[in-house]
Amino acid sequence: MKTALVGDIGGTNARFALWRDQRIDSVRVLPTQEYPRPEDAIRAYLKGVGQEVEDLEAVCLACAGPVSGDEFVFTNNHWRLSRQAFCKELGLSELLLINDFSAMALGMTRLRAGELVDICPGQSAPGRARLVIGPGTGLGVATLVPLADGRWQALPGEGGHVCLPIGSRREAALWERLHAKLGHVNAEAVLSGGGLLELYRTSCSLDDKAATLTTPAEITAAALNGDAYAKSVLEQFCVWLGRIAGDNVLTTGAQGGVYIAGGIVPRFVEFFARSGFAQSFRDKGGMSRYFDKVPVWVVTAEYPGLEGAGVALQSLLEGAPGGQ
């Protein structure tokens, strides 16, 4: 193989790296809005790292949304691609498209020491699935399943679009206002960057309070700096994430553990560890004991999606199973 490239493409940024000797190299992050198409961003990336387009042989792109067929429309950005046209333009012999959180899940198999923070103590049940969930531009969810040969397979899904659960009167009141504005209220409506801002604005509306903060970063910063109202909103965010993560554990049987990934929670790990996440995570009535030994970690690795895309590409080249 001459050159293999992996990409982790979100709503705001596209992360690219070369895949060499089963590891990522020459990582660059490019804003998606600055490029009309993914092909243009890849050309710019290759030029920036001194690689010729003609040397490119295999590519794996981790993309938000369900992956099937020739045409793929990216979630949360303006890009789209045709597999056939993409390969023809770039002269590729291999193009693998996988769900972004399948790649994130496979990236959990490449974590190094110091890249996990314990949130809920526990012990991974042998042979059981693990859940990977993370708020970012959207809410990603995937399941990591152990295989008999020691490898792992990532099962893609769209768990971020399940219905937002209600566990208290205040949550019911918030949901009612969200429903009046959005119609269907999915988990991503509050458990994402834009969702945190939506949750703040809806909370302010419910409490007849002026909404003075205008970005997710401002809300997080205000909460960490002691603003009582911002803290209450961020607390509700953590509680709702616990409810959704717990629901997914029950659905998938993921007693192997839960990885909290994505770009948001690692920014306030200490707050998250003290929040109501753990209580809401296991608040399942008669099934609460199911969570007694389920460990939960926050992932602080810098590029787990790229690592996972590399794992998937390596599996394809070796003819082994992986995520899609």
Side-chain angles (χ1 to χ4, degrees):
M1 187 194 316
K2 292 179 289 186
T3 300
L5 179 145
V6 293
D8 178 18
I9 300 172
T12 305
N13 293 312
R15 301 165 184 83
F16 294 113
L18 302 178
W19 181 250
R20 291 173 169 163
D21 299 322
Q22 299 196 34
R23 66 182 183 87
I24 57 174
D25 185 37
S26 302
V27 176
R28 301 287 189 277
V29 181
L30 305 182
T32 57
Q33 66 180 2
E34 293 185 9
Y35 301 91
R37 307 175 303 155
E39 294 92 332
D40 301 314
I42 288 173
R43 288 182 181 276
Y45 166 78
L46 291 171
K47 182 178 181 180
V49 297
Q51 293 289 312
E52 298 294 331
V53 174
E54 293 74 18
D55 291 336
L56 192 61
E57 186 168 356
V59 170
C60 175
L61 299 181
C63 313
V67 178
S68 64
D70 179 69
E71 291 282 340
F72 181 81
V73 178
F74 289 78
T75 302
N76 298 326
N77 74 39
H78 63 282
W79 285 357
R80 61 192 306 149
L81 67 77
S82 157
R83 294 176 191 251
Q84 185 176 356
F86 184 93
C87 288
K88 183 177 180 180
E89 178 173 336
L90 297 180
L92 294 176
S93 58
E94 295 283 358
L95 169 63
L96 176 62
L97 295 183
I98 65 173
N99 176 267
D100 63 334
F101 249 72
S102 290
M104 183 69 78
L106 290 172
M108 301 303 98
T109 69
R110 302 279 302 221
L111 294 175
R112 302 169 182 82
E115 292 182 337
L116 287 177
V117 177
D118 291 332
I119 299 298
C120 298
Q123 184 173 359
S124 298
R128 300 303 293 269
R130 300 186 181 189
L131 176 71
V132 186
I133 183 170
T137 302
L139 177 63
V141 183
T143 308
L144 197 59
V145 179
L147 303 176
D149 63 0
R151 294 175 183 260
W152 293 83
Q153 183 169 9
L155 303 182
E158 293 299 326
H161 297 275
V162 301
C163 296
L164 184 69
I166 298 171
S168 69
R169 290 183 177 180
R170 180 166 181 83
E171 288 176 6
L174 289 167
W175 182 93
E176 186 174 5
R177 291 191 178 228
L178 288 165
H179 184 265
K181 179 178 181 180
L182 305 174
H184 174 65
V185 184
N186 61 23
E188 189 174 274
V190 297
L191 296 176
S192 59
L196 177 58
L197 182 58
E198 187 68 55
L199 178 59
Y200 169 74
R201 288 172 173 169
T202 304
S203 299
C204 288
S205 173
L206 181 63
D207 297 329
D208 294 323
K209 180 179 176 62
T212 59
L213 305 175
T214 59
T215 67
E218 286 182 9
I219 297 165
T220 301
L224 298 182
N225 288 328
D227 181 289
Y229 197 79
K231 285 175 65 176
S232 71
V233 172
L234 196 59
E235 170 69 17
Q236 181 62 66
F237 180 94
C238 297
V239 167
W240 248 322
L241 182 55
R243 296 201 195 288
I244 288 292
D247 285 351
N248 275 278
V249 167
L250 289 177
T251 301
T252 61
Q255 290 186 306
V258 178
Y259 298 97
I260 308 293
I264 293 181
V265 175
R267 299 175 183 174
F268 53 87
V269 174
E270 292 184 5
F271 182 101
F272 186 73
R274 297 191 304 268
S275 76
F277 169 87
Q279 177 60 38
S280 63
F281 174 63
R282 57 169 293 146
D283 184 17
K284 303 300 177 187
M287 290 301 295
S288 295
R289 297 300 301 273
Y290 191 84
F291 297 85
D292 282 353
K293 295 184 179 180
V294 179
V296 179
W297 311 279
V298 168
V299 179
T300 60
E302 193 168 14
Y303 300 114
L306 283 176
E307 294 275 7
V311 171
L313 183 58
Q314 193 71 38
S315 295
L316 173 69
L317 298 173
E318 294 174 356
Q324 294 187 20

mmCIF file of all heavy atoms in Angstrom, residues 126-169:
data_model
loop_
_atom_site.group_PDB
_atom_site.id
_atom_site.type_symbol
_atom_site.label_atom_id
_atom_site.label_comp_id
_atom_site.label_asym_id
_atom_site.label_seq_id
_atom_site.Cartn_x
_atom_site.Cartn_y
_atom_site.Cartn_z
ATOM 1 N N PRO A 126 -17.345 -10.154 31.814
ATOM 2 C CA PRO A 126 -16.664 -10.821 30.688
ATOM 3 C C PRO A 126 -17.652 -11.190 29.588
ATOM 4 O O PRO A 126 -18.761 -11.659 29.848
ATOM 5 C CB PRO A 126 -16.072 -12.079 31.339
ATOM 6 C CG PRO A 126 -16.008 -11.782 32.802
ATOM 7 C CD PRO A 126 -17.164 -10.877 33.083
ATOM 8 N N GLY A 127 -17.239 -10.964 28.356
ATOM 9 C CA GLY A 127 -18.038 -11.363 27.214
ATOM 10 C C GLY A 127 -19.246 -10.501 26.931
ATOM 11 O O GLY A 127 -20.020 -10.804 26.011
ATOM 12 N N ARG A 128 -19.443 -9.419 27.680
ATOM 13 C CA ARG A 128 -20.614 -8.566 27.473
ATOM 14 C C ARG A 128 -20.251 -7.331 26.649
ATOM 15 O O ARG A 128 -19.104 -6.874 26.627
ATOM 16 C CB ARG A 128 -21.210 -8.128 28.819
ATOM 17 C CG ARG A 128 -21.675 -9.273 29.690
ATOM 18 C CD ARG A 128 -22.717 -10.153 28.987
ATOM 19 N NE ARG A 128 -23.960 -9.451 28.753
ATOM 20 C CZ ARG A 128 -24.981 -9.460 29.627
ATOM 21 N NH1 ARG A 128 -24.893 -10.135 30.772
ATOM 22 N NH2 ARG A 128 -26.095 -8.813 29.340
ATOM 23 N N ALA A 129 -21.249 -6.805 25.986
ATOM 24 C CA ALA A 129 -21.069 -5.621 25.151
ATOM 25 C C ALA A 129 -20.697 -4.405 25.995
ATOM 26 O O ALA A 129 -20.915 -4.376 27.213
ATOM 27 C CB ALA A 129 -22.352 -5.341 24.369
ATOM 28 N N ARG A 130 -20.143 -3.406 25.320
ATOM 29 C CA ARG A 130 -19.848 -2.124 25.946
ATOM 30 C C ARG A 130 -20.539 -1.027 25.130
ATOM 31 O O ARG A 130 -20.647 -1.125 23.909
ATOM 32 C CB ARG A 130 -18.343 -1.872 26.015
ATOM 33 C CG ARG A 130 -17.617 -2.936 26.831
ATOM 34 C CD ARG A 130 -16.157 -2.616 27.033
ATOM 35 N NE ARG A 130 -15.498 -3.679 27.800
ATOM 36 C CZ ARG A 130 -14.260 -3.617 28.285
ATOM 37 N NH1 ARG A 130 -13.541 -2.514 28.078
ATOM 38 N NH2 ARG A 130 -13.754 -4.620 28.955
ATOM 39 N N LEU A 131 -21.008 -0.014 25.832
ATOM 40 C CA LEU A 131 -21.713 1.101 25.205
ATOM 41 C C LEU A 131 -20.761 2.275 25.038
ATOM 42 O O LEU A 131 -19.982 2.587 25.944
ATOM 43 C CB LEU A 131 -22.900 1.520 26.072
ATOM 44 C CG LEU A 131 -23.690 2.750 25.596
ATOM 45 C CD1 LEU A 131 -24.494 2.415 24.346
ATOM 46 C CD2 LEU A 131 -24.607 3.264 26.704
ATOM 47 N N VAL A 132 -20.827 2.912 23.876
ATOM 48 C CA VAL A 132 -20.065 4.135 23.620
ATOM 49 C C VAL A 132 -21.069 5.220 23.268
ATOM 50 O O VAL A 132 -21.852 5.074 22.330
ATOM 51 C CB VAL A 132 -19.057 3.947 22.473
ATOM 52 C CG1 VAL A 132 -18.183 5.189 22.323
ATOM 53 C CG2 VAL A 132 -18.198 2.711 22.713
ATOM 54 N N ILE A 133 -21.069 6.296 24.025
ATOM 55 C CA ILE A 133 -22.056 7.362 23.835
ATOM 56 C C ILE A 133 -21.370 8.699 24.062
ATOM 57 O O ILE A 133 -20.508 8.824 24.932
ATOM 58 C CB ILE A 133 -23.261 7.173 24.793
ATOM 59 C CG1 ILE A 133 -24.331 8.225 24.555
ATOM 60 C CG2 ILE A 133 -22.818 7.156 26.261
ATOM 61 C CD1 ILE A 133 -25.641 7.929 25.298
ATOM 62 N N GLY A 134 -21.744 9.689 23.271
ATOM 63 C CA GLY A 134 -21.076 10.961 23.460
ATOM 64 C C GLY A 134 -21.759 12.138 22.791
ATOM 65 O O GLY A 134 -22.045 12.105 21.593
ATOM 66 N N PRO A 135 -22.023 13.192 23.547
ATOM 67 C CA PRO A 135 -22.536 14.433 22.972
ATOM 68 C C PRO A 135 -21.407 15.219 22.301
ATOM 69 O O PRO A 135 -20.305 15.355 22.846
ATOM 70 C CB PRO A 135 -23.070 15.203 24.189
ATOM 71 C CG PRO A 135 -23.024 14.240 25.339
ATOM 72 C CD PRO A 135 -21.970 13.250 25.010
ATOM 73 N N GLY A 136 -21.703 15.716 21.115
ATOM 74 C CA GLY A 136 -20.789 16.597 20.393
ATOM 75 C C GLY A 136 -21.648 17.518 19.556
ATOM 76 O O GLY A 136 -22.604 18.099 20.063
ATOM 77 N N THR A 137 -21.360 17.621 18.262
ATOM 78 C CA THR A 137 -22.262 18.352 17.376
ATOM 79 C C THR A 137 -23.640 17.706 17.387
ATOM 80 O O THR A 137 -24.671 18.361 17.292
ATOM 81 C CB THR A 137 -21.695 18.388 15.950
ATOM 82 O OG1 THR A 137 -20.398 18.996 15.977
ATOM 83 C CG2 THR A 137 -22.590 19.193 15.022
ATOM 84 N N GLY A 138 -23.660 16.373 17.483
ATOM 85 C CA GLY A 138 -24.878 15.597 17.703
ATOM 86 C C GLY A 138 -24.658 14.685 18.895
ATOM 87 O O GLY A 138 -23.724 14.878 19.675
ATOM 88 N N LEU A 139 -25.510 13.664 19.033
ATOM 89 C CA LEU A 139 -25.325 12.654 20.075
ATOM 90 C C LEU A 139 -25.067 11.318 19.401
ATOM 91 O O LEU A 139 -25.942 10.777 18.724
ATOM 92 C CB LEU A 139 -26.560 12.552 20.976
ATOM 93 C CG LEU A 139 -26.485 11.459 22.050
ATOM 94 C CD1 LEU A 139 -25.355 11.726 23.045
ATOM 95 C CD2 LEU A 139 -27.817 11.310 22.779
ATOM 96 N N GLY A 140 -23.856 10.806 19.567
ATOM 97 C CA GLY A 140 -23.490 9.530 18.969
ATOM 98 C C GLY A 140 -23.661 8.388 19.950
ATOM 99 O O GLY A 140 -23.407 8.543 21.147
ATOM 100 N N VAL A 141 -24.090 7.231 19.433
ATOM 101 C CA VAL A 141 -24.252 6.030 20.245
ATOM 102 C C VAL A 141 -23.834 4.827 19.402
ATOM 103 O O VAL A 141 -24.231 4.713 18.239
ATOM 104 C CB VAL A 141 -25.714 5.836 20.707
ATOM 105 C CG1 VAL A 141 -25.830 4.603 21.610
ATOM 106 C CG2 VAL A 141 -26.231 7.075 21.442
ATOM 107 N N ALA A 142 -23.035 3.952 19.969
ATOM 108 C CA ALA A 142 -22.665 2.708 19.298
ATOM 109 C C ALA A 142 -22.438 1.636 20.353
ATOM 110 O O ALA A 142 -22.271 1.933 21.544
ATOM 111 C CB ALA A 142 -21.421 2.891 18.433
ATOM 112 N N THR A 143 -22.419 0.395 19.902
ATOM 113 C CA THR A 143 -22.191 -0.740 20.795
ATOM 114 C C THR A 143 -20.945 -1.479 20.348
ATOM 115 O O THR A 143 -20.747 -1.720 19.155
ATOM 116 C CB THR A 143 -23.397 -1.703 20.762
ATOM 117 O OG1 THR A 143 -24.589 -0.960 20.996
ATOM 118 C CG2 THR A 143 -23.259 -2.775 21.824
ATOM 119 N N LEU A 144 -20.117 -1.840 21.299
ATOM 120 C CA LEU A 144 -18.874 -2.559 21.047
ATOM 121 C C LEU A 144 -19.045 -3.985 21.556
ATOM 122 O O LEU A 144 -19.303 -4.196 22.743
ATOM 123 C CB LEU A 144 -17.718 -1.857 21.757
ATOM 124 C CG LEU A 144 -16.286 -2.174 21.344
ATOM 125 C CD1 LEU A 144 -16.059 -1.867 19.864
ATOM 126 C CD2 LEU A 144 -15.307 -1.378 22.204
ATOM 127 N N VAL A 145 -18.938 -4.952 20.640
ATOM 128 C CA VAL A 145 -19.228 -6.352 20.971
ATOM 129 C C VAL A 145 -17.958 -7.184 20.882
ATOM 130 O O VAL A 145 -17.267 -7.152 19.853
ATOM 131 C CB VAL A 145 -20.293 -6.920 20.009
ATOM 132 C CG1 VAL A 145 -20.574 -8.381 20.320
ATOM 133 C CG2 VAL A 145 -21.571 -6.098 20.082
ATOM 134 N N PRO A 146 -17.615 -7.947 21.929
ATOM 135 C CA PRO A 146 -16.426 -8.801 21.864
ATOM 136 C C PRO A 146 -16.669 -10.026 20.989
ATOM 137 O O PRO A 146 -17.729 -10.640 21.034
ATOM 138 C CB PRO A 146 -16.213 -9.201 23.331
ATOM 139 C CG PRO A 146 -17.573 -9.124 23.948
ATOM 140 C CD PRO A 146 -18.302 -8.029 23.235
ATOM 141 N N LEU A 147 -15.679 -10.384 20.173
ATOM 142 C CA LEU A 147 -15.753 -11.561 19.318
ATOM 143 C C LEU A 147 -14.915 -12.687 19.908
ATOM 144 O O LEU A 147 -14.030 -12.468 20.741
ATOM 145 C CB LEU A 147 -15.271 -11.219 17.903
ATOM 146 C CG LEU A 147 -16.017 -10.077 17.201
ATOM 147 C CD1 LEU A 147 -15.382 -9.785 15.844
ATOM 148 C CD2 LEU A 147 -17.494 -10.404 17.057
ATOM 149 N N ALA A 148 -15.170 -13.876 19.430
ATOM 150 C CA ALA A 148 -14.511 -15.058 20.007
ATOM 151 C C ALA A 148 -13.001 -15.058 19.795
ATOM 152 O O ALA A 148 -12.248 -15.639 20.591
ATOM 153 C CB ALA A 148 -15.121 -16.326 19.403
ATOM 154 N N ASP A 149 -12.531 -14.386 18.719
ATOM 155 C CA ASP A 149 -11.090 -14.395 18.428
ATOM 156 C C ASP A 149 -10.329 -13.280 19.136
ATOM 157 O O ASP A 149 -9.154 -13.049 18.856
ATOM 158 C CB ASP A 149 -10.863 -14.312 16.924
ATOM 159 C CG ASP A 149 -11.390 -13.016 16.309
ATOM 160 O OD1 ASP A 149 -11.943 -12.182 17.056
ATOM 161 O OD2 ASP A 149 -11.255 -12.836 15.075
ATOM 162 N N GLY A 150 -11.011 -12.562 20.036
ATOM 163 C CA GLY A 150 -10.348 -11.489 20.777
ATOM 164 C C GLY A 150 -10.505 -10.116 20.157
ATOM 165 O O GLY A 150 -10.143 -9.117 20.779
ATOM 166 N N ARG A 151 -11.018 -10.057 18.942
ATOM 167 C CA ARG A 151 -11.285 -8.761 18.322
ATOM 168 C C ARG A 151 -12.603 -8.194 18.850
ATOM 169 O O ARG A 151 -13.337 -8.857 19.573
ATOM 170 C CB ARG A 151 -11.374 -8.906 16.794
ATOM 171 C CG ARG A 151 -10.073 -9.316 16.116
ATOM 172 C CD ARG A 151 -10.318 -9.541 14.638
ATOM 173 N NE ARG A 151 -9.130 -9.998 13.932
ATOM 174 C CZ ARG A 151 -8.348 -9.198 13.210
ATOM 175 N NH1 ARG A 151 -8.628 -7.912 13.119
ATOM 176 N NH2 ARG A 151 -7.293 -9.684 12.598
ATOM 177 N N TRP A 152 -12.886 -6.965 18.427
ATOM 178 C CA TRP A 152 -14.142 -6.312 18.788
ATOM 179 C C TRP A 152 -14.852 -5.891 17.519
ATOM 180 O O TRP A 152 -14.207 -5.505 16.539
ATOM 181 C CB TRP A 152 -13.887 -5.074 19.652
ATOM 182 C CG TRP A 152 -13.322 -5.376 21.000
ATOM 183 C CD1 TRP A 152 -12.016 -5.598 21.316
ATOM 184 C CD2 TRP A 152 -14.049 -5.480 22.228
ATOM 185 N NE1 TRP A 152 -11.877 -5.830 22.653
ATOM 186 C CE2 TRP A 152 -13.101 -5.769 23.240
ATOM 187 C CE3 TRP A 152 -15.392 -5.361 22.572
ATOM 188 C CZ2 TRP A 152 -13.468 -5.924 24.574
ATOM 189 C CZ3 TRP A 152 -15.760 -5.520 23.894
ATOM 190 C CH2 TRP A 152 -14.807 -5.803 24.883
ATOM 191 N N GLN A 153 -16.164 -5.945 17.528
ATOM 192 C CA GLN A 153 -16.963 -5.447 16.422
ATOM 193 C C GLN A 153 -17.849 -4.317 16.917
ATOM 194 O O GLN A 153 -18.485 -4.429 17.967
ATOM 195 C CB GLN A 153 -17.831 -6.544 15.806
ATOM 196 C CG GLN A 153 -18.632 -6.052 14.603
ATOM 197 C CD GLN A 153 -19.284 -7.167 13.826
ATOM 198 O OE1 GLN A 153 -19.287 -8.306 14.266
ATOM 199 N NE2 GLN A 153 -19.834 -6.846 12.665
ATOM 200 N N ALA A 154 -17.879 -3.239 16.132
ATOM 201 C CA ALA A 154 -18.721 -2.091 16.473
ATOM 202 C C ALA A 154 -20.038 -2.192 15.727
ATOM 203 O O ALA A 154 -20.053 -2.383 14.509
ATOM 204 C CB ALA A 154 -18.015 -0.793 16.112
ATOM 205 N N LEU A 155 -21.126 -2.081 16.453
ATOM 206 C CA LEU A 155 -22.462 -2.105 15.846
ATOM 207 C C LEU A 155 -22.970 -0.678 15.739
ATOM 208 O O LEU A 155 -23.153 0.003 16.761
ATOM 209 C CB LEU A 155 -23.427 -2.941 16.688
ATOM 210 C CG LEU A 155 -23.020 -4.394 16.940
ATOM 211 C CD1 LEU A 155 -24.103 -5.099 17.756
ATOM 212 C CD2 LEU A 155 -22.763 -5.137 15.635
ATOM 213 N N PRO A 156 -23.212 -0.202 14.515
ATOM 214 C CA PRO A 156 -23.695 1.176 14.351
ATOM 215 C C PRO A 156 -25.148 1.295 14.747
ATOM 216 O O PRO A 156 -25.892 0.309 14.773
ATOM 217 C CB PRO A 156 -23.510 1.427 12.849
ATOM 218 C CG PRO A 156 -23.659 0.071 12.234
ATOM 219 C CD PRO A 156 -23.059 -0.899 13.225
ATOM 220 N N GLY A 157 -25.557 2.479 15.055
ATOM 221 C CA GLY A 157 -26.949 2.752 15.394
ATOM 222 C C GLY A 157 -27.202 4.245 15.366
ATOM 223 O O GLY A 157 -26.291 5.045 15.153
ATOM 224 N N GLU A 158 -28.424 4.614 15.599
ATOM 225 C CA GLU A 158 -28.818 6.028 15.644
ATOM 226 C C GLU A 158 -29.495 6.319 16.979
ATOM 227 O O GLU A 158 -30.564 6.926 17.046
ATOM 228 C CB GLU A 158 -29.735 6.359 14.465
ATOM 229 C CG GLU A 158 -29.045 6.291 13.103
ATOM 230 C CD GLU A 158 -27.887 7.275 12.968
ATOM 231 O OE1 GLU A 158 -27.975 8.383 13.548
ATOM 232 O OE2 GLU A 158 -26.890 6.929 12.305
ATOM 233 N N GLY A 159 -28.846 5.861 18.056
ATOM 234 C CA GLY A 159 -29.412 6.001 19.391
ATOM 235 C C GLY A 159 -29.563 7.426 19.867
ATOM 236 O O GLY A 159 -30.293 7.688 20.834
ATOM 237 N N GLY A 160 -28.900 8.364 19.210
ATOM 238 C CA GLY A 160 -29.077 9.764 19.581
ATOM 239 C C GLY A 160 -30.433 10.316 19.219
ATOM 240 O O GLY A 160 -30.820 11.390 19.691
ATOM 241 N N HIS A 161 -31.177 9.562 18.399
ATOM 242 C CA HIS A 161 -32.474 10.040 17.930
ATOM 243 C C HIS A 161 -33.642 9.333 18.613
ATOM 244 O O HIS A 161 -34.789 9.492 18.187
ATOM 245 C CB HIS A 161 -32.557 9.889 16.414
ATOM 246 C CG HIS A 161 -31.547 10.718 15.688
ATOM 247 N ND1 HIS A 161 -31.753 12.043 15.374
ATOM 248 C CD2 HIS A 161 -30.299 10.425 15.255
ATOM 249 C CE1 HIS A 161 -30.679 12.528 14.767
ATOM 250 N NE2 HIS A 161 -29.784 11.566 14.677
ATOM 251 N N VAL A 162 -33.350 8.572 19.670
ATOM 252 C CA VAL A 162 -34.444 7.992 20.449
ATOM 253 C C VAL A 162 -35.178 9.114 21.188
ATOM 254 O O VAL A 162 -34.671 10.226 21.322
ATOM 255 C CB VAL A 162 -33.934 6.945 21.465
ATOM 256 C CG1 VAL A 162 -33.202 5.818 20.747
ATOM 257 C CG2 VAL A 162 -33.031 7.592 22.515
ATOM 258 N N CYS A 163 -36.381 8.807 21.669
ATOM 259 C CA CYS A 163 -37.165 9.822 22.368
ATOM 260 C C CYS A 163 -36.496 10.234 23.678
ATOM 261 O O CYS A 163 -35.967 9.387 24.407
ATOM 262 C CB CYS A 163 -38.562 9.287 22.658
ATOM 263 S SG CYS A 163 -39.525 8.944 21.172
ATOM 264 N N LEU A 164 -36.519 11.512 23.968
ATOM 265 C CA LEU A 164 -35.965 12.015 25.220
ATOM 266 C C LEU A 164 -36.829 11.542 26.382
ATOM 267 O O LEU A 164 -38.041 11.803 26.401
ATOM 268 C CB LEU A 164 -35.917 13.538 25.193
ATOM 269 C CG LEU A 164 -35.264 14.219 26.390
ATOM 270 C CD1 LEU A 164 -33.754 13.953 26.410
ATOM 271 C CD2 LEU A 164 -35.523 15.722 26.352
ATOM 272 N N PRO A 165 -36.270 10.839 27.369
ATOM 273 C CA PRO A 165 -37.075 10.320 28.483
ATOM 274 C C PRO A 165 -37.395 11.406 29.501
ATOM 275 O O PRO A 165 -36.673 12.392 29.636
ATOM 276 C CB PRO A 165 -36.168 9.251 29.093
ATOM 277 C CG PRO A 165 -34.782 9.742 28.822
ATOM 278 C CD PRO A 165 -34.849 10.440 27.486
ATOM 279 N N ILE A 166 -38.473 11.200 30.220
ATOM 280 C CA ILE A 166 -38.908 12.132 31.257
ATOM 281 C C ILE A 166 -38.876 11.420 32.600
ATOM 282 O O ILE A 166 -39.495 10.373 32.769
ATOM 283 C CB ILE A 166 -40.329 12.652 30.975
ATOM 284 C CG1 ILE A 166 -40.341 13.421 29.645
ATOM 285 C CG2 ILE A 166 -40.829 13.537 32.113
ATOM 286 C CD1 ILE A 166 -41.718 13.794 29.178
ATOM 287 N N GLY A 167 -38.157 11.994 33.562
ATOM 288 C CA GLY A 167 -38.015 11.345 34.857
ATOM 289 C C GLY A 167 -38.400 12.224 36.037
ATOM 290 O O GLY A 167 -38.213 11.829 37.181
ATOM 291 N N SER A 168 -38.897 13.438 35.775
ATOM 292 C CA SER A 168 -39.292 14.334 36.861
ATOM 293 C C SER A 168 -40.308 15.337 36.321
ATOM 294 O O SER A 168 -40.472 15.486 35.105
ATOM 295 C CB SER A 168 -38.078 15.087 37.421
ATOM 296 O OG SER A 168 -37.591 16.031 36.471
ATOM 297 N N ARG A 169 -40.987 16.046 37.240
ATOM 298 C CA ARG A 169 -41.953 17.055 36.803
ATOM 299 C C ARG A 169 -41.278 18.180 36.037
ATOM 300 O O ARG A 169 -41.832 18.704 35.066
ATOM 301 C CB ARG A 169 -42.692 17.606 38.019
ATOM 302 C CG ARG A 169 -43.656 16.607 38.655
ATOM 303 C CD ARG A 169 -44.423 17.226 39.802
ATOM 304 N NE ARG A 169 -45.392 16.284 40.359
ATOM 305 C CZ ARG A 169 -46.199 16.562 41.365
ATOM 306 N NH1 ARG A 169 -46.165 17.770 41.940
ATOM 307 N NH2 ARG A 169 -47.050 15.655 41.808
#
